[in-house]
Amino acid sequence: MNQHEIIDMMDKVPVEMLPELYQKLGWAGDYTQAPGKECKTIPVSINNTSGLRTYMQPDSVLDRSVIKAIEFIDDTTSALNPSIRNSSGDLLANPSASELAGVVFAFRDLDQEIAWVSAYTGILRLNGGKYLMTNLKGISWQDCYIYLTGAALALPVVTLRVWYDPDPADD
Amino acid sequence: MNNLWIKNSQLVEFQFRGSVDANRRYPATDVPNLSRNNIMLYGFEVYAATQVSTAPSGNTVIADADVDKIFLTLRDINKKEFVYQYPLYNLIRSNVGGFVTLIKPRRINLTDCNVIVSDTTGIGANEVVLLNMFYDKI
């Protein structure tokens, strides 16, 4: 179905049917349930200088999955990240919500950025408990990156959680 | 009950170039990715400094205290202003319970879209309104 057909159809569809149509087109979905079949928490040790990007580690499962939501963990949600430690062996604290305002995440496929999100809007507790939902296919996870647009964080870690529907072959 | 899913998105800036004047229209900065491709806009949200302090371009994003003075207008390729002077406050998802604005899909003319300011107090020259446009390629 091309753009003109979709726009023509939208004009004929009653307003009460639009939510169902948007679901079929993959533009909207139910926020009252878990956004994906599986999730994983990914602590990232970042290049902690303003203006720099930190690329994700390769993940072939996410490459083959449909990415359904991304969440960013601030220090109120979870004080410490789960695995990245300082030289003394202590787990590093997660950034505050105000620090995450200086973080933007870019989803990429093999060619280009296909979506951008603000890390702050991925903090569940500050956004009505609603996940930052996506419907992203063909992602190249190792080409996705955290972009530190604001000031350096107090500690060089960002923790994110990704919800996804895995490829049935990986299930 | 539904909320928006991101299929594709692009950050778009509306910059207060030069002096900040009330009721003057400040257009969107052109983004070739949106101008060149066949895209349909189906949703959008705004970021103020609490959500994104600095845009990836390096431009300073407007302060939260200023969002209640700024209004967004979007125009489609038929020059129709299908979103006319919408208050920015309502487009920040954390202000509205996490919901994101969904619209009937439109092909837009990006540089015809603009913001206006009703009160210039506190808005700095060259600051930007940062919009995340959600679209599909068909």
Side-chain angles (χ1 to χ4, degrees):
Chain A
M1 194 181 292
N2 64 34
Q3 279 191 18
H4 300 291
E5 288 168 344
I6 290 177
I7 292 176
D8 284 345
M9 181 177 57
M10 292 285 174
D11 283 336
K12 298 182 177 80
V13 167
V15 163
E16 58 268 20
M17 289 188 64
L18 284 178
E20 185 185 333
L21 188 57
Y22 284 5
Q23 270 191 294
K24 284 189 164 52
L25 289 168
W27 297 347
D30 189 357
Y31 65 81
T32 63
Q33 57 189 18
K37 291 180 183 171
E38 298 181 11
C39 74
K40 57 172 78 176
T41 301
I42 304 173
V44 180
S45 182
I46 65 161
N47 290 319
N48 198 19
T49 301
S50 181
L52 291 192
R53 305 173 183 189
T54 303
Y55 287 85
M56 299 295 104
Q57 294 295 310
D59 190 315
S60 57
V61 171
L62 291 181
D63 288 346
R64 291 193 294 270
S65 300
V66 179
I67 308 297
K68 300 302 303 231
I70 188 165
E71 185 187 346
F72 289 85
I73 312 301
D74 72 326
D75 59 354
T76 299
T77 305
S78 181
L80 301 175
N81 91 91
S83 61
I84 298 173
R85 297 177 186 274
N86 61 20
S87 55
S88 305
D90 301 318
L91 289 169
L92 295 183
N94 281 315
S96 65
S98 58
E99 287 184 293
L100 286 175
V103 174
V104 173
F105 189 88
F107 290 96
R108 277 185 59 104
D109 59 16
L110 288 172
D111 294 322
Q112 60 183 350
E113 285 80 0
I114 60 172
W116 298 84
V117 296
S118 149
Y120 184 96
T121 59
I123 302 171
L124 215 58
R125 67 180 183 88
L126 296 177
N127 291 279
K130 295 179 183 64
Y131 288 98
L132 206 172
M133 299 197 294
T134 60
N135 186 13
L136 298 169
K137 302 172 189 172
I139 293 291
S140 172
W141 187 249
Q142 67 183 35
D143 290 312
C144 301
Y145 57 89
I146 288 170
Y147 196 161
L148 187 60
T149 63
L153 307 184
L155 294 170
V157 64
V158 171
T159 303
L160 49 100
R161 183 171 297 127
V162 179
W163 289 86
Y164 57 99
D165 288 347
D167 187 307
D170 292 328
D171 228 345
Chain B
M1 299 223 287
N2 290 346
N3 203 10
L4 182 139
W5 286 355
I6 300 172
K7 277 192 90 171
N8 297 277
S9 85
Q10 177 66 54
L11 295 175
V12 175
E13 296 183 3
F14 298 78
Q15 188 169 36
F16 296 109
R17 294 180 198 277
S19 61
V20 185
D21 302 316
N23 299 317
R24 178 179 147 200
R25 296 182 183 192
Y26 294 87
T29 303
D30 193 23
V31 178
N33 192 39
L34 295 186
S35 302
R36 204 178 295 137
N37 295 330
N38 276 337
I39 65 142
M40 280 201 309
L41 180 73
Y42 66 88
F44 49 92
E45 67 175 321
V46 161
Y47 303 134
T50 294
Q51 291 78 42
V52 179
S53 55
T54 308
S57 63
N59 289 320
T60 301
V61 178
I62 52 157
D64 288 67
D66 297 328
V67 299
D68 63 351
K69 310 166 188 168
I70 304 173
F71 303 86
L72 173 71
T73 294
L74 300 179
R75 267 191 174 181
D76 64 16
I77 58 170
N78 298 316
K79 304 287 187 186
K80 185 171 183 181
E81 292 175 329
F82 64 96
V83 171
Y84 183 66
Q85 294 188 356
Y86 199 101
L88 287 196
Y89 186 95
N90 290 349
L91 297 174
I92 296 174
R93 72 165 82 196
S94 53
N95 290 343
V96 287
F99 287 107
V100 182
T101 301
L102 275 158
I103 57 169
K104 273 194 172 184
R106 299 271 184 163
R107 291 181 65 191
I108 58 162
N109 191 339
L110 186 60
T111 51
D112 271 353
C113 303
N114 63 79
V115 297
I116 66 164
V117 178
S118 59
D119 176 357
T120 63
T121 308
I123 301 175
N126 298 317
E127 286 184 353
V128 298
V129 172
L130 192 60
L131 188 72
N132 202 355
M133 288 192 164
F134 305 118
Y135 65 92
D136 205 350
K137 297 181 208 177
I138 304 291

